[in-house]
Amino acid sequence: MVRACGLLTAQKEPVPLKSIEVELEVRDHVATVVSTLNYENKEDKPLEAVFVFPLPGDAAVCHFNAKIGQTQIVAEVKEKQKAREEYDDALSSGQQAFLLEESLQSPDIFSLSVGSLPPGESASIRLEYVTELAVQADDGLRFCLPAVFNPRYQPQGSEGAGVQVTSVPASLVPYSLSFSARVSSPRPISKVESNCSLDPLQYLNTDQTQATVKLAAGHKFDRDVELLIYYKDAHQPTAVVEAGQVSAEPGSLMADSVVMVSLYPEFPQSVTSSVASCGEFVLLMDRSGSMSNTRISSARDTLLLLLKSLPMGCYFNIYSFGSRYEHIFPKSVEYSQQTMEEALKTVVQMEANLGGTEMLQPLKHIYSQPCIPNQPRQLFVFTDGEVWDTKEVIDLVKKNSDSHRCFSFGIGEGASSALINGMAKEGGGHAQFITGTDRMQPKVMQSLRFALQLAVVDISVTWDLPKEVSVTVLSPPITALFPGQRSLIYAQLSGQSSEAAEGCVTVKYSLAGHPSENQLHFSLRPAEDTGLTVHKLGARTLIHSLEEGEHRGWQDTKVKEKVVQLSVQSGISSSLTAFIAVFNNNGEAIQGPLLHKNILKHDYVDCTLSPYQDYEDLQEPSVLTMGYMYADQESYDYVGCTLNPYQNCEGYMDADQESGDYMDCALPLDQDYETCSYKPRNKSDSKTGVFTQMKKILSDFWKSCKTVADGALKSVSEGNARSSVSEQQTRDPLLQLVSLQEATGKWLLDPALPTALGKTNEEVEKSKPVLANKEIWATILALIWLHGLKMDSKNEWDLLAMKAASWLRAQNAPWVTECVEAANLLLGCSVMKEALGL
């Protein structure tokens, strides 16, 4: 869901952002981010405003202060309701105050209330958070700085019905950005890459374990800034022990030492090179409006690769969703040539035309389907948007975690890290993010390989420590282990030990019926100058575990009290606490009326959306969009509000309960006004029949509009179908070859095969050994072409090539060697038969 961002005036104009300063410090796989935003109020009246922004879903906000003029105010963490009351009291008594709180719907959305900013005054907001960096498919560590720190710039003249704002030329963006990163690690730093232009990496020492990097001059922060950091020997396990805070309460988490253990369990080669031949694969694809153009095209290609790579004997189904959801089969079907072809016919026609991003209902339908015996369910979720009920979606995945594994993919900038990481974590799967020019296919195929491997079971973690030291694990139990992927464990260490003492952590698990274990020995001597980063991340981990536990409804008062106590002690934000800062300016009353500006979460004043574009999915990379406009809390005026004709807005409209004013407020075309849950101001209004008459007028009006909209939808749908056919004809050779493979893994000597290989039919026929079977010849040709000419894309076609080799071995044909030699000669390759797995 697009979140409004930036400080706004009563006229919906942004409080001008003068500059952004971001300092990033990365230590191994942990990042500390300090962002400073400098604003100026050019209004002639005092301003109260709200700044709404996302952060990484697993980030721990650990410091916040604000400076108005020459006055700096440092915030402290308090119970949320008390903080809100303190904020309101401060404003009513003429004081300046700041309130920073986490959204109840999603842990990666924060709102900052600023009250009040005097006319002509400047404000400097400094926010600090710590977060872990996720491991990517190529072993890089990913850091993402959301472009939301750049409030979406709204050009002059954009007021009115159409407030979708497209990209603003860089020359018109009136602020500067300063971004610098310092990276340090026990291992040498290989390289740092970005989706933005960087100055050259500067090493600070000879062993290349410390380096700095900056964004190149001229960057306007019109898109997310993504850094990928690569270390040598990245898969080495590590442990960092951090000393407690001397001033903390004895026995508390902040007073004791905390250890962060980073593990990379090792798997036998026989396991990592084999794949399962069973499973139920359910693919859930986002088809909301913002998946249009290259995203939906890449999604179709990805589904093609997935379908071709599935093993014979498994089951599958494909769901797609927007404001509604569809599925190809009523229930999962057995994978065969017939069912694969039927699915592909639907896939090739998929367009981004289903409206918004509503994931909960299709998930509920998927989980309501009974699991197939001896076919472990594997759920793949692809989405580029966010859902407003993130926590409810994650809860649903967790509730069904015993019956499936969930692999999630965030597509493009703006995908909710809380949603993507949360679903994978609770579903025992793996999360991937596809941004910028990333290809979706290799990351998805890596996750498919994980899904095809046997699940690791009976995972346990044991500690061996000196007898005077006890351990309290802060992290939830490990539920999934995958080759090459990191597992993090935080633990509180109580008691004293000598600096020379050592500890040991052992991870035990069972795979394919064989027990295995990995050990890590580490020193208990605390690391120097860590800034309590490990404590903050450990506290964040424990807080999230408590919040996501069995007491979601907070019926257990003790759990609630523990979260608040831990949040206050550690200075880490939670869903039950908030940062509050109040400046007492000697009690002097603020001159002039205070412009109260609330950013309402479900407010759509003057918002006009396209027939295919839902309010949840307005944000595109490098597109500056003010997705929500903001109603005056006192008037709740909804004049000119037009919602997506296929989007049910029940539950989103916050109309004035007193006035009941719904003039010009468009409900969805398929929504009966009689079901509107909002009532007129009083009974007399109802008796006059005015409200009933208005309902009828609006209902008739939208019925006539729906006829026009349906015609437009049909026209565009037909155009999209024609363009998809054209796209098929110009597809790259690799995908052309993949599209010709049969479900069993073989290729036919089809006339389209030589074209994909860059040869003529005559050349292919002439080169075939005389006694060779046509299907075996075609299959070996395809494999030689892949291994000889497309090794740079091996992670995309590896699984379907393994399936082809398996089919060839089953044929037990005597002319395989002759076919390999002839194919090498024809294609100009030198691939050995053994390299094909034959």
Side-chain angles (χ1 to χ4, degrees), residues 205-248:
N205 54 7
T206 55
D207 58 5
Q208 299 186 342
T209 58
Q210 297 182 25
T212 60
V213 68
K214 295 181 180 180
L215 280 182
H219 181 74
K220 292 298 183 179
F221 208 9
D222 57 352
R223 59 189 180 278
D224 290 355
V225 175
E226 182 183 63
L227 290 185
L228 293 174
I229 302 168
Y230 298 85
Y231 301 131
K232 294 179 181 177
D233 302 321
H235 289 182
Q236 293 298 314
T238 59
V240 177
V241 177
E242 184 177 76
Q245 197 172 21
V246 177
S247 59

Side-chain angles (χ1 to χ4, degrees), residues 398-512:
K398 181 177 182 179
K399 182 180 177 182
N400 293 275
S401 59
D402 290 342
S403 64
H404 82 303
R405 286 191 292 183
C406 180
F407 297 85
S408 52
F409 305 87
I411 304 170
E413 282 112 353
S416 168
S417 60
L419 176 71
I420 303 303
N421 289 325
M423 293 182 71
K425 176 184 175 183
E426 299 300 345
H430 186 246
Q432 302 264 27
F433 289 87
I434 300 103
T435 58
T437 58
D438 287 352
R439 282 179 58 81
M440 188 186 305
Q441 290 84 356
K443 295 190 175 185
V444 174
M445 297 311 293
Q446 183 202 41
S447 292
L448 177 59
R449 181 178 283 279
F450 287 164
L452 285 169
Q453 289 170 355
L454 296 175
V456 176
V457 297
D458 300 330
I459 304 172
S460 66
V461 179
T462 56
W463 298 80
D464 183 10
L465 300 168
K467 62 181 180 180
E468 62 271 17
V469 179
S470 61
V471 62
T472 302
V473 179
L474 307 174
S475 304
I478 299 175
T479 58
L481 291 175
F482 296 106
Q485 295 303 301
R486 181 190 64 208
S487 294
L488 283 176
I489 305 172
Y490 295 93
Q492 178 180 351
L493 304 177
S494 303
Q496 299 294 324
S497 64
S498 66
E499 289 193 350
E502 278 197 349
C504 177
V505 61
T506 303
V507 178
K508 297 181 179 180
Y509 56 90
S510 180
L511 184 61

Side-chain angles (χ1 to χ4, degrees), residues 248-530:
E249 180 183 342
S252 67
L253 171 63
M254 300 306 292
D256 287 337
S257 294
V258 174
V259 61
M260 175 177 62
V261 178
S262 175
L263 297 172
Y264 289 88
E266 299 174 1
F267 291 80
Q269 178 64 28
S270 59
V271 172
T272 57
S273 61
S274 62
V275 295
S277 59
C278 62
E280 180 196 8
F281 296 88
V282 182
L283 315 178
L284 179 59
M285 178 61 68
D286 186 345
R287 285 174 56 194
S288 58
S290 58
M291 279 288 291
S292 58
N293 301 323
T294 57
R295 291 183 181 180
I296 195 65
S297 175
S298 180
R300 287 193 296 262
D301 291 342
T302 300
L303 289 178
L304 167 67
L305 270 175
L306 277 169
L307 286 172
K308 295 292 183 176
S309 302
L310 293 179
M312 293 296 290
C314 75
Y315 286 72
F316 79 102
N317 201 354
I318 300 177
Y319 286 70
S320 53
F321 70 95
S323 304
R324 53 188 174 87
Y325 67 91
E326 300 174 352
H327 42 77
I328 295 181
F329 305 106
K331 62 180 182 179
S332 294
V333 296
E334 187 171 359
Y335 180 72
S336 66
Q337 183 65 24
Q338 179 182 346
T339 56
M340 183 190 74
E341 287 181 350
E342 185 175 348
L344 284 173
K345 287 179 182 177
T346 302
V347 167
V348 76
Q349 296 176 359
M350 281 186 174
E351 295 295 338
N353 56 3
L354 292 187
T357 310
E358 297 187 23
M359 191 184 297
L360 197 60
Q361 293 308 314
L363 279 177
K364 287 181 177 179
H365 185 272
I366 290 169
Y367 292 139
S368 71
Q369 303 296 306
C371 292
I372 302 171
N374 302 316
Q375 300 286 348
R377 178 172 288 172
Q378 316 282 358
L379 174 64
F380 282 59
V381 180
F382 304 84
T383 180
D384 75 334
E386 299 181 14
V387 296
W388 66 272
D389 49 359
T390 298
K391 290 186 177 180
E392 194 172 353
V393 169
I394 294 173
D395 278 348
L396 183 62
V397 174
K398 181 177 182 179
K399 182 180 177 182
N400 293 275
S401 59
D402 290 342
S403 64
H404 82 303
R405 286 191 292 183
C406 180
F407 297 85
S408 52
F409 305 87
I411 304 170
E413 282 112 353
S416 168
S417 60
L419 176 71
I420 303 303
N421 289 325
M423 293 182 71
K425 176 184 175 183
E426 299 300 345
H430 186 246
Q432 302 264 27
F433 289 87
I434 300 103
T435 58
T437 58
D438 287 352
R439 282 179 58 81
M440 188 186 305
Q441 290 84 356
K443 295 190 175 185
V444 174
M445 297 311 293
Q446 183 202 41
S447 292
L448 177 59
R449 181 178 283 279
F450 287 164
L452 285 169
Q453 289 170 355
L454 296 175
V456 176
V457 297
D458 300 330
I459 304 172
S460 66
V461 179
T462 56
W463 298 80
D464 183 10
L465 300 168
K467 62 181 180 180
E468 62 271 17
V469 179
S470 61
V471 62
T472 302
V473 179
L474 307 174
S475 304
I478 299 175
T479 58
L481 291 175
F482 296 106
Q485 295 303 301
R486 181 190 64 208
S487 294
L488 283 176
I489 305 172
Y490 295 93
Q492 178 180 351
L493 304 177
S494 303
Q496 299 294 324
S497 64
S498 66
E499 289 193 350
E502 278 197 349
C504 177
V505 61
T506 303
V507 178
K508 297 181 179 180
Y509 56 90
S510 180
L511 184 61
H514 301 289
S516 300
E517 70 174 49
N518 290 166
Q519 283 190 340
L520 174 63
H521 294 266
F522 59 93
S523 170
L524 291 178
R525 181 178 181 177
E528 296 180 0
D529 190 28
T530 54

